[in-house]
Amino acid sequence: MMILGIGSDFTDARRIARSIERYGDRFLERVFTPLERAKADTRKLRAETYAKRFAAKEACSKALGTGLSQGVFWRDMGVVNLPSGQPTLELTGGAALRLAAMVPEGFEARIHLTLTDEGPLSAAYVILSAVPRG
């Protein structure tokens, strides 16, 4: 296994709640995928759910080495769960293109994500790696 990038981020759910209050759907549609919104909108701790996903996107953009620039947009990075329940990221658009460009010939990408929260604070860590194909 070869590490391609590492990123981390902390997000305060109170800040996310204020953004939702102030900008509503405009903010949510710009930042979160339809799947993320559907999941968060069923949760009792809605702002905390969004905060974890926001932190994951920030951490992923750092691991990609671009931040939210060079064609990488918020909704290009979506938190999804594997059948085991483990979170990971599904990349599309500019984020997927950037990751593909980072992977050496003969390798395939892996995305490792961990999320945690305590009170209003959420943290995410992303490790992008490559493993030999086959």
Side-chain angles (χ1 to χ4, degrees):
M1 180 180 81
M2 159 189 329
I3 293 177
L4 303 173
I6 299 173
S8 66
D9 191 68
F10 288 96
T11 300
D12 190 324
R14 294 168 294 195
R15 185 173 69 111
I16 298 300
R18 284 192 301 271
S19 292
I20 294 169
E21 225 174 82
R22 184 170 180 188
Y23 302 107
D25 282 343
R26 206 170 81 212
F27 168 72
L28 295 174
E29 288 172 7
R30 195 183 102 200
V31 176
F32 300 99
T33 67
L35 183 64
E36 289 173 315
R37 293 185 65 197
K39 186 168 196 159
D41 289 344
T42 64
R43 298 279 174 89
K44 181 180 175 189
L45 299 174
R46 182 175 180 239
E48 287 81 354
T49 300
Y50 278 124
K52 280 193 276 193
R53 281 147 184 77
F54 189 93
K57 293 166 186 284
E58 285 277 7
C60 183
S61 72
K62 293 171 185 174
L64 289 169
T66 59
L68 290 154
S69 67
Q70 300 178 39
V72 175
F73 298 99
W74 291 108
R75 290 194 330 170
D76 289 345
M77 302 165 283
V79 176
V80 296
N81 293 89
L82 300 174
S84 66
Q86 177 185 354
T88 188
L89 286 153
E90 186 174 272
L91 304 187
T92 59
L97 292 172
R98 172 65 182 152
L99 179 58
M102 296 169 70
V103 178
E105 186 72 33
F107 285 75
E108 59 187 51
R110 295 282 189 268
I111 302 172
H112 311 274
L113 168 65
T114 186
L115 301 168
T116 191
D117 61 345
E118 180 63 36
L121 299 179
S122 295
Y125 300 91
V126 171
I127 299 174
L128 303 177
S129 66
V131 296
R133 266 198 198 104

